[in-house]
Amino acid sequence: MKNTYPTGLVRKLTQATENQLKYWVRIGIISPVKIGKTFHYSFRDIIKLRMIVRLKKNGLSFQRLKLGLNNLSNLLPESDDSLTRLVIYTDGVDMLINEKGRYFSATTMQRFIRFDTEVIKNEITELFQKDNPARNLSMPINL
């Protein structure tokens, strides 16, 4: 099968154990294809597995993880490209997603805004220097 990866490679990439892989297949989190005696996993499966292993190591419960994965599956198109755009964070309680600058919780679907004070500081400095070219000074900003 095209674009699938054997169990050995997947275990190295994800740090998942053989028993974890079997369990996650059994409960339907991932659906590898069996070719001969070896299971082969899709790119999407590898992304899910890496996410599961890393988020579990960082304290996120499996129940929250499963809920977040289900919500992401419903929200995102089935293409692998949609997964490559995600940056996923956890605080041990929630799965926070950054998809192309949009921030939301995968478990509650609550949306967040990004408010970057460094960007504001840079804008102020740039405008100050533009408005005062002769002085060529940088304006100190203290918060």
Short mmCIF file of all heavy atoms in Angstrom, two decimals, residues 50-86:
data_model
loop_
_atom_site.label_atom_id
_atom_site.label_comp_id
_atom_site.label_asym_id
_atom_site.label_seq_id
_atom_site.Cartn_x
_atom_site.Cartn_y
_atom_site.Cartn_z
N ARG A 50 2.00 10.00 17.73
CA ARG A 50 2.99 10.91 18.36
C ARG A 50 2.31 11.88 19.31
O ARG A 50 2.82 12.17 20.38
CB ARG A 50 3.73 11.68 17.28
CG ARG A 50 5.14 11.18 17.12
CD ARG A 50 5.87 12.00 16.14
NE ARG A 50 7.08 12.50 16.75
CZ ARG A 50 8.18 12.69 16.08
NH1 ARG A 50 8.24 12.44 14.79
NH2 ARG A 50 9.24 13.16 16.67
N MET A 51 1.16 12.37 18.88
CA MET A 51 0.40 13.29 19.72
C MET A 51 -0.02 12.58 21.01
O MET A 51 0.15 13.13 22.10
CB MET A 51 -0.84 13.77 18.95
CG MET A 51 -1.63 14.81 19.66
SD MET A 51 -3.15 15.35 18.79
CE MET A 51 -2.97 14.86 17.12
N ILE A 52 -0.55 11.39 20.89
CA ILE A 52 -1.01 10.64 22.06
C ILE A 52 0.14 10.41 23.04
O ILE A 52 0.03 10.70 24.23
CB ILE A 52 -1.64 9.29 21.64
CG1 ILE A 52 -2.96 9.52 20.93
CG2 ILE A 52 -1.83 8.38 22.84
CD1 ILE A 52 -3.50 8.29 20.21
N VAL A 53 1.25 9.90 22.53
CA VAL A 53 2.38 9.58 23.40
C VAL A 53 2.92 10.83 24.09
O VAL A 53 3.11 10.85 25.31
CB VAL A 53 3.50 8.86 22.61
CG1 VAL A 53 4.77 8.74 23.42
CG2 VAL A 53 3.02 7.48 22.16
N ARG A 54 3.11 11.90 23.34
CA ARG A 54 3.68 13.12 23.93
C ARG A 54 2.73 13.80 24.91
O ARG A 54 3.15 14.26 25.96
CB ARG A 54 4.08 14.09 22.83
CG ARG A 54 5.27 13.60 22.05
CD ARG A 54 6.27 14.68 21.81
NE ARG A 54 7.45 14.12 21.18
CZ ARG A 54 8.00 14.62 20.10
NH1 ARG A 54 7.49 15.69 19.53
NH2 ARG A 54 9.08 14.09 19.59
N LEU A 55 1.47 13.88 24.55
CA LEU A 55 0.52 14.55 25.44
C LEU A 55 0.28 13.73 26.71
O LEU A 55 0.13 14.29 27.78
CB LEU A 55 -0.79 14.84 24.71
CG LEU A 55 -0.68 15.86 23.57
CD1 LEU A 55 -2.01 16.01 22.84
CD2 LEU A 55 -0.19 17.21 24.06
N LYS A 56 0.28 12.41 26.58
CA LYS A 56 0.15 11.57 27.78
C LYS A 56 1.36 11.76 28.70
O LYS A 56 1.21 11.85 29.91
CB LYS A 56 0.03 10.09 27.39
CG LYS A 56 -1.39 9.68 27.03
CD LYS A 56 -1.49 8.23 26.62
CE LYS A 56 -1.02 7.23 27.57
NZ LYS A 56 -1.56 6.90 28.78
N LYS A 57 2.55 11.85 28.11
CA LYS A 57 3.77 12.07 28.91
C LYS A 57 3.72 13.41 29.63
O LYS A 57 4.34 13.58 30.67
CB LYS A 57 5.02 12.00 28.04
CG LYS A 57 5.45 10.61 27.71
CD LYS A 57 6.75 10.61 26.90
CE LYS A 57 7.13 9.20 26.53
NZ LYS A 57 8.33 9.15 25.69
N ASN A 58 3.00 14.36 29.06
CA ASN A 58 2.88 15.69 29.66
C ASN A 58 1.64 15.84 30.52
O ASN A 58 1.22 16.95 30.83
CB ASN A 58 2.93 16.77 28.57
CG ASN A 58 4.33 16.97 28.06
OD1 ASN A 58 5.17 17.46 28.77
ND2 ASN A 58 4.59 16.54 26.83
N GLY A 59 1.03 14.72 30.90
CA GLY A 59 -0.01 14.74 31.90
C GLY A 59 -1.45 14.78 31.42
O GLY A 59 -2.37 14.78 32.23
N LEU A 60 -1.68 14.84 30.12
CA LEU A 60 -3.06 14.89 29.63
C LEU A 60 -3.69 13.50 29.76
O LEU A 60 -3.11 12.51 29.35
CB LEU A 60 -3.09 15.34 28.17
CG LEU A 60 -4.46 15.69 27.60
CD1 LEU A 60 -5.08 16.88 28.33
CD2 LEU A 60 -4.35 16.01 26.12
N SER A 61 -4.87 13.45 30.34
CA SER A 61 -5.54 12.15 30.53
C SER A 61 -5.94 11.58 29.18
O SER A 61 -6.21 12.31 28.22
CB SER A 61 -6.77 12.31 31.41
OG SER A 61 -7.82 12.92 30.69
N PHE A 62 -6.02 10.25 29.14
CA PHE A 62 -6.38 9.59 27.89
C PHE A 62 -7.81 9.95 27.48
O PHE A 62 -8.10 10.09 26.30
CB PHE A 62 -6.21 8.07 27.99
CG PHE A 62 -6.33 7.40 26.66
CD1 PHE A 62 -5.35 7.56 25.69
CD2 PHE A 62 -7.43 6.63 26.37
CE1 PHE A 62 -5.47 6.96 24.45
CE2 PHE A 62 -7.56 6.03 25.13
CZ PHE A 62 -6.57 6.18 24.17
N GLN A 63 -8.70 10.15 28.44
CA GLN A 63 -10.07 10.52 28.12
C GLN A 63 -10.13 11.89 27.43
O GLN A 63 -10.85 12.07 26.45
CB GLN A 63 -10.95 10.55 29.40
CG GLN A 63 -11.22 9.19 30.00
CD GLN A 63 -10.02 8.61 30.76
OE1 GLN A 63 -9.10 9.32 31.12
NE2 GLN A 63 -10.04 7.31 30.98
N ARG A 64 -9.37 12.86 27.94
CA ARG A 64 -9.33 14.20 27.33
C ARG A 64 -8.69 14.12 25.95
O ARG A 64 -9.12 14.78 25.01
CB ARG A 64 -8.57 15.19 28.20
CG ARG A 64 -9.11 15.38 29.60
CD ARG A 64 -10.26 16.28 29.72
NE ARG A 64 -9.96 17.66 29.37
CZ ARG A 64 -10.88 18.60 29.34
NH1 ARG A 64 -12.12 18.31 29.67
NH2 ARG A 64 -10.58 19.82 29.01
N LEU A 65 -7.65 13.30 25.85
CA LEU A 65 -6.96 13.12 24.58
C LEU A 65 -7.90 12.54 23.54
O LEU A 65 -7.96 13.03 22.40
CB LEU A 65 -5.80 12.15 24.81
CG LEU A 65 -4.45 12.54 24.27
CD1 LEU A 65 -3.38 11.70 24.87
CD2 LEU A 65 -4.40 12.57 22.81
N LYS A 66 -8.64 11.52 23.92
CA LYS A 66 -9.57 10.88 23.00
C LYS A 66 -10.65 11.86 22.55
O LYS A 66 -10.99 11.92 21.37
CB LYS A 66 -10.18 9.66 23.69
CG LYS A 66 -10.86 8.71 22.77
CD LYS A 66 -11.23 7.45 23.55
CE LYS A 66 -12.13 6.57 22.72
NZ LYS A 66 -12.60 5.41 23.45
N LEU A 67 -11.18 12.65 23.48
CA LEU A 67 -12.17 13.67 23.16
C LEU A 67 -11.59 14.68 22.18
O LEU A 67 -12.22 15.05 21.18
CB LEU A 67 -12.65 14.37 24.43
CG LEU A 67 -13.62 15.54 24.24
CD1 LEU A 67 -14.91 15.09 23.58
CD2 LEU A 67 -13.89 16.20 25.59
N GLY A 68 -10.37 15.15 22.45
CA GLY A 68 -9.71 16.11 21.56
C GLY A 68 -9.48 15.54 20.17
O GLY A 68 -9.71 16.22 19.16
N LEU A 69 -9.06 14.28 20.09
CA LEU A 69 -8.84 13.64 18.78
C LEU A 69 -10.15 13.51 18.00
O LEU A 69 -10.18 13.76 16.80
CB LEU A 69 -8.22 12.25 18.97
CG LEU A 69 -6.75 12.21 19.36
CD1 LEU A 69 -6.32 10.79 19.68
CD2 LEU A 69 -5.87 12.80 18.26
N ASN A 70 -11.21 13.15 18.69
CA ASN A 70 -12.52 13.05 18.02
C ASN A 70 -12.96 14.40 17.49
O ASN A 70 -13.44 14.51 16.36
CB ASN A 70 -13.58 12.48 18.96
CG ASN A 70 -13.38 11.00 19.21
OD1 ASN A 70 -12.77 10.30 18.42
ND2 ASN A 70 -13.90 10.52 20.32
N ASN A 71 -12.80 15.45 18.29
CA ASN A 71 -13.18 16.80 17.85
C ASN A 71 -12.34 17.25 16.66
O ASN A 71 -12.86 17.84 15.72
CB ASN A 71 -13.07 17.80 19.00
CG ASN A 71 -14.17 17.65 20.02
OD1 ASN A 71 -15.22 17.08 19.74
ND2 ASN A 71 -13.94 18.14 21.22
N LEU A 72 -11.03 16.97 16.72
CA LEU A 72 -10.16 17.35 15.60
C LEU A 72 -10.55 16.60 14.33
O LEU A 72 -10.54 17.16 13.24
CB LEU A 72 -8.69 17.08 15.93
CG LEU A 72 -8.01 18.09 16.83
CD1 LEU A 72 -6.59 17.63 17.17
CD2 LEU A 72 -7.98 19.46 16.20
N SER A 73 -10.87 15.32 14.47
CA SER A 73 -11.28 14.52 13.30
C SER A 73 -12.54 15.09 12.66
O SER A 73 -12.66 15.11 11.44
CB SER A 73 -11.51 13.06 13.70
OG SER A 73 -10.31 12.46 14.08
N ASN A 74 -13.48 15.55 13.48
CA ASN A 74 -14.71 16.13 12.96
C ASN A 74 -14.48 17.51 12.35
O ASN A 74 -15.18 17.91 11.43
CB ASN A 74 -15.77 16.23 14.06
CG ASN A 74 -16.24 14.88 14.52
OD1 ASN A 74 -16.20 13.91 13.77
ND2 ASN A 74 -16.68 14.79 15.75
N LEU A 75 -13.51 18.23 12.88
CA LEU A 75 -13.27 19.62 12.46
C LEU A 75 -12.41 19.71 11.20
O LEU A 75 -12.67 20.54 10.33
CB LEU A 75 -12.59 20.37 13.60
CG LEU A 75 -12.27 21.83 13.37
CD1 LEU A 75 -13.56 22.64 13.29
CD2 LEU A 75 -11.40 22.35 14.50
N LEU A 76 -11.39 18.86 11.11
CA LEU A 76 -10.42 18.98 10.03
C LEU A 76 -10.75 18.04 8.87
O LEU A 76 -11.26 16.94 9.08
CB LEU A 76 -9.02 18.65 10.56
CG LEU A 76 -8.50 19.58 11.63
CD1 LEU A 76 -7.19 19.05 12.19
CD2 LEU A 76 -8.31 20.98 11.09
N PRO A 77 -10.42 18.46 7.67
CA PRO A 77 -10.62 17.58 6.52
C PRO A 77 -9.74 16.32 6.65
O PRO A 77 -8.78 16.30 7.41
CB PRO A 77 -10.20 18.43 5.32
CG PRO A 77 -9.59 19.65 5.86
CD PRO A 77 -9.84 19.73 7.32
N GLU A 78 -10.06 15.32 5.90
CA GLU A 78 -9.35 14.03 5.98
C GLU A 78 -7.95 14.06 5.38
O GLU A 78 -7.22 13.11 5.52
CB GLU A 78 -10.18 12.93 5.30
CG GLU A 78 -11.35 12.48 6.12
CD GLU A 78 -10.94 11.84 7.45
OE1 GLU A 78 -10.01 11.01 7.47
OE2 GLU A 78 -11.56 12.18 8.46
N SER A 79 -7.57 15.13 4.73
CA SER A 79 -6.25 15.17 4.09
C SER A 79 -5.14 15.26 5.13
O SER A 79 -5.30 15.84 6.19
CB SER A 79 -6.15 16.35 3.13
OG SER A 79 -5.99 17.55 3.84
N ASP A 80 -4.01 14.66 4.79
CA ASP A 80 -2.84 14.71 5.67
C ASP A 80 -2.30 16.13 5.80
O ASP A 80 -1.72 16.49 6.80
CB ASP A 80 -1.74 13.78 5.16
CG ASP A 80 -2.11 12.32 5.31
OD1 ASP A 80 -3.03 12.01 6.08
OD2 ASP A 80 -1.47 11.49 4.64
N ASP A 81 -2.52 16.96 4.76
CA ASP A 81 -2.02 18.33 4.79
C ASP A 81 -2.63 19.12 5.95
O ASP A 81 -1.98 19.99 6.52
CB ASP A 81 -2.34 19.05 3.48
CG ASP A 81 -1.50 18.54 2.33
OD1 ASP A 81 -0.47 17.89 2.59
OD2 ASP A 81 -1.88 18.78 1.17
N SER A 82 -3.87 18.82 6.30
CA SER A 82 -4.51 19.56 7.39
C SER A 82 -3.80 19.30 8.71
O SER A 82 -3.75 20.17 9.57
CB SER A 82 -5.99 19.19 7.50
OG SER A 82 -6.14 17.83 7.84
N LEU A 83 -3.23 18.12 8.88
CA LEU A 83 -2.53 17.80 10.12
C LEU A 83 -1.16 18.45 10.19
O LEU A 83 -0.67 18.73 11.28
CB LEU A 83 -2.38 16.29 10.26
CG LEU A 83 -3.66 15.53 10.53
CD1 LEU A 83 -3.40 14.03 10.51
CD2 LEU A 83 -4.28 15.94 11.85
N THR A 84 -0.53 18.68 9.06
CA THR A 84 0.82 19.25 9.08
C THR A 84 0.80 20.73 9.47
O THR A 84 1.84 21.29 9.77
CB THR A 84 1.52 19.09 7.71
OG1 THR A 84 0.75 19.77 6.71
CG2 THR A 84 1.69 17.63 7.35
N ARG A 85 -0.38 21.34 9.47
CA ARG A 85 -0.49 22.76 9.83
C ARG A 85 -0.73 22.97 11.32
O ARG A 85 -0.82 24.10 11.78
CB ARG A 85 -1.65 23.40 9.06
CG ARG A 85 -1.50 23.39 7.57
CD ARG A 85 -2.60 24.20 6.91
NE ARG A 85 -3.91 23.94 7.45
CZ ARG A 85 -4.92 23.38 6.80
NH1 ARG A 85 -4.76 23.00 5.57
NH2 ARG A 85 -6.09 23.21 7.37
N LEU A 86 -0.87 21.91 12.08
CA LEU A 86 -1.23 22.04 13.49
C LEU A 86 0.00 22.14 14.39
O LEU A 86 1.00 21.46 14.17
CB LEU A 86 -2.04 20.82 13.95
CG LEU A 86 -3.35 20.55 13.25
CD1 LEU A 86 -3.99 19.31 13.84
CD2 LEU A 86 -4.28 21.73 13.34
#
